[in-house]
Amino acid sequence: MRLLRELARALFVMEGELKGNLTPLPRLIQMLSSEFARECAFFFARMAERLSFLGDEPFSALWADAAEQTLKELSPREREIVRALGETLGRYPLPMQLTALSRCREYLLESERAERQRYMDERRLIWGTAAAAAMLLWIILI
Amino acid sequence: MDRLLQAAALLPEDYRQALILRGIREAEEIRLRTGRSPTWTEAGREHNFSERACREKDLLCVLDKACGASLHSVSETLRRGFLTVGGLRIGVCGVRNPAEGGWSFQRYSSLCLRLPHECRGIARDLIPVLRENAAGGTLIISPPGGGKTTLLRECIRCLSEGGLRIGVADERGELSGTENGEGGFDLGCRSDILIGTSKGEGCLQLLRCMNPQLIAMDEITCREDLQAAMQIAGCGTGILATAHATGVEQMRLRPLYREILEAGIFHLAVVISGSGRERRYSMTQLSS
């Protein structure tokens, strides 16, 4: 959940930097690798490391590789969404990049909300079962 | 950093190796054209450095490395057909993409990597005259690739070190050669450099904000540059600029340059002739 939240936050920063400063991706990735929580920073740090191969390998391949290597906590579908973002970044006109970032961020936030809901439901179920068991035990003891 | 190595670092691996293996130490340009062998230029002549013909993929590799796969960050200059990385100017040819205001390309067919040079001492004989003429305007003239920018850079450095406060309107980042605001060429200790705005806008901004004694800019090419030069000349600040021509007489053939000469903004012309290490600099008084 934390990774999803942090990734969404990083994508929000990326949107702002691209829109406001037209920041080149290598500088942006370098910046993000030092600004975010560990799990998320791993992804950007790995990406920053792989950027030395840029040109010999396309940006999208480096991004996909970094996502595969470091975002193992994500579900396959979430990882696929992040991976697909790399196909658009840096390559297409800015409005398209911003739209892709925004869609990816919304998907991640939606996933995070769903996961939180599932967690709450599970907790409620556990507490409910525990309370019922306790009550049953109490009745038996009486 | 050696500029040739800097340019080589942008090339695909096999081209980089080929360039290094040939032991090329000095080059003016590196050119890649799809379907042709890549070349390097020395004294205006092109020589192949690899047998393998370029593919569009090779050109994309260079562009990806040059802009960090971030075409959005160079869209403004790419619209004008080039991008700059650490003082290295990369000219681009191909098929323009009509979408998005035509800043990008659908297909890339040629790249020209122009290597900037720093030649200390080439302006030694000119500096006393330029300093004397600082309040007037000096125009450096040569055909494309003739060494105007290199001479201008050295003049800025020497005049700045000599005590003049110089504002540099460096539209393409070629004069200063900085990358992300770091490194680059030495333009002297009293130079204030403005990168990324048009020369016209940049000159006026320098004039308003930095109180320069001399404003330097590369290549007067359009009316906006001329108008900026006229404004500077009318404010008591000196101007040092360059223009494309083989000499003063040829300048008179182009309406814009004729206007420059008639306006009397420039009092002195430095004409560059010859090529490579055989360059000569001659001074002509334009008006007083």
Side-chain angles (χ1 to χ4, degrees):
Chain A
M1 266 198 303
R2 188 170 166 203
L3 177 59
L4 284 169
R5 204 166 43 236
E6 286 293 307
L7 259 180
R9 215 158 66 82
L11 297 186
F12 181 69
V13 172
M14 284 181 90
E15 267 181 79
E17 280 290 325
L18 289 180
K19 200 173 182 177
N21 298 334
L22 297 175
T23 312
L25 292 170
R27 203 186 319 159
L28 187 49
I29 285 163
Q30 201 72 50
M31 193 179 98
L32 293 171
S33 68
S34 59
E35 267 185 23
F36 280 84
R38 242 179 60 183
E39 301 88 338
C40 187
F42 278 158
F43 168 64
F44 289 108
R46 170 80 182 169
M47 189 59 207
E49 207 180 283
R50 301 281 289 139
L51 276 174
S52 55
F53 298 99
L54 187 64
D56 300 318
E57 280 187 56
F59 180 86
S60 55
L62 303 177
W63 179 274
D65 176 68
E68 283 302 319
Q69 298 293 320
T70 59
L71 301 178
K72 289 179 180 153
E73 262 183 58
L74 299 186
S75 72
R77 175 72 186 138
E78 289 157 355
R79 214 165 33 238
E80 173 58 25
I81 293 282
V82 174
R83 197 196 59 74
L85 177 63
E87 306 275 347
T88 309
L89 286 178
R91 188 172 170 198
Y92 291 112
L94 195 59
M96 279 176 78
Q97 294 187 48
L98 294 175
T99 307
L101 274 165
S102 161
R103 279 196 190 145
C104 183
R105 184 166 57 86
E106 273 164 27
Y107 184 87
L108 295 179
L109 284 175
E110 192 53 49
S111 286
E112 194 252 346
R113 269 195 293 272
E115 198 141 314
R116 194 166 354 124
Q117 190 59 48
R118 200 162 44 242
Y119 175 72
M120 298 289 275
D121 290 349
E122 271 172 19
R123 252 175 58 154
R124 207 171 295 135
L125 185 69
I126 290 168
W127 279 109
T129 312
M135 199 171 281
L136 194 67
L137 187 69
W138 186 59
I139 291 167
I140 291 168
L141 287 175
I142 285 174
Chain B
M1 186 186 181
D2 185 288
R3 299 287 159 168
L4 184 60
L5 285 180
Q6 184 196 1
L10 299 178
L11 299 175
E13 179 65 26
D14 58 330
Y15 285 171
R16 186 163 57 233
Q17 294 298 337
L19 199 66
I20 292 167
L21 281 177
R22 288 199 175 226
I24 300 163
R25 294 192 180 279
E26 276 189 42
E28 290 159 3
E29 294 169 350
I30 293 171
R31 286 177 179 269
L32 306 181
R33 300 181 181 98
T34 49
R36 309 275 175 194
S37 296
T39 63
W40 62 284
T41 310
E42 188 188 33
R45 289 192 59 189
E46 287 188 37
H47 312 274
N48 291 358
F49 63 85
S50 170
E51 292 308 313
R52 181 173 73 76
C54 291
R55 297 159 299 178
E56 193 182 16
K57 199 177 153 207
D58 300 316
L59 275 59
L60 288 170
C61 162
V62 173
L63 289 172
D64 258 3
K65 285 184 183 180
C67 69
S70 311
L71 284 177
H72 59 269
S73 66
V74 293
S75 57
E76 264 318 299
T77 59
L78 203 55
R79 190 189 300 279
R80 286 177 282 157
F82 69 93
L83 57 122
T84 315
V85 48
L88 192 81
R89 188 170 72 178
I90 304 176
V92 183
C93 267
V95 182
R96 283 274 187 195
N97 182 358
E100 296 290 330
W103 66 267
S104 62
F105 286 78
Q106 280 174 339
R107 312 281 314 202
Y108 295 91
S109 60
S110 309
L111 293 183
C112 170
L113 285 72
R114 295 192 65 184
L115 277 63
H117 290 91
E118 188 170 36
C119 299
R120 298 237 169 166
I122 56 169
R124 198 179 299 123
D125 299 337
L126 305 173
I127 292 303
V129 186
L130 293 189
R131 193 174 293 136
E132 207 173 294
N133 187 55
T138 303
L139 192 62
I140 299 171
I141 304 168
S142 94
K148 289 181 298 297
T149 307
T150 309
L151 179 62
L152 177 63
R153 197 179 287 129
E154 179 61 2
C155 288
I156 295 170
R157 189 186 69 80
C158 293
L159 291 170
S160 171
E161 293 291 346
L164 275 180
R165 200 167 47 247
I166 303 182
V168 184
D170 190 9
E171 183 178 356
R172 297 182 289 219
E174 239 183 318
L175 276 171
S176 53
T178 52
E179 193 171 1
N180 303 328
E182 291 169 9
F185 295 113
D186 178 11
L187 292 183
C189 55
R190 291 177 189 84
S191 295
D192 302 303
I193 305 151
L194 184 62
I195 304 172
T197 42
S198 69
K199 288 187 283 283
E201 208 177 301
C203 285
L204 296 180
Q205 200 175 319
L206 285 165
L207 197 61
R208 275 197 302 266
C209 313
M210 302 307 289
N211 185 25
Q213 293 166 303
L214 182 85
I215 288 183
M217 63 174 172
D218 203 6
E219 290 180 18
I220 294 184
T221 48
C222 62
R223 185 150 299 278
E224 195 202 1
D225 302 342
L226 169 65
Q227 279 164 352
M230 282 169 133
Q231 290 229 20
I232 294 164
C235 293
T237 301
I239 178 164
L240 182 59
T242 67
H244 281 148
T246 50
V248 179
E249 281 315 306
Q250 200 191 45
M251 279 190 78
R252 293 187 202 282
L253 300 176
R254 275 180 71 180
L256 182 74
Y257 286 171
R258 200 163 50 231
E259 226 174 292
I260 291 176
L261 295 176
E262 282 165 7
I265 306 165
F266 295 99
H267 297 179
L268 189 70
V270 177
V271 182
I272 308 174
S273 53
S275 63
R277 295 188 179 281
E278 305 298 317
R279 289 203 169 94
R280 290 177 300 279
Y281 307 106
S282 55
M283 283 184 272
T284 311
Q285 201 71 31
L286 294 172
S287 65
S288 55

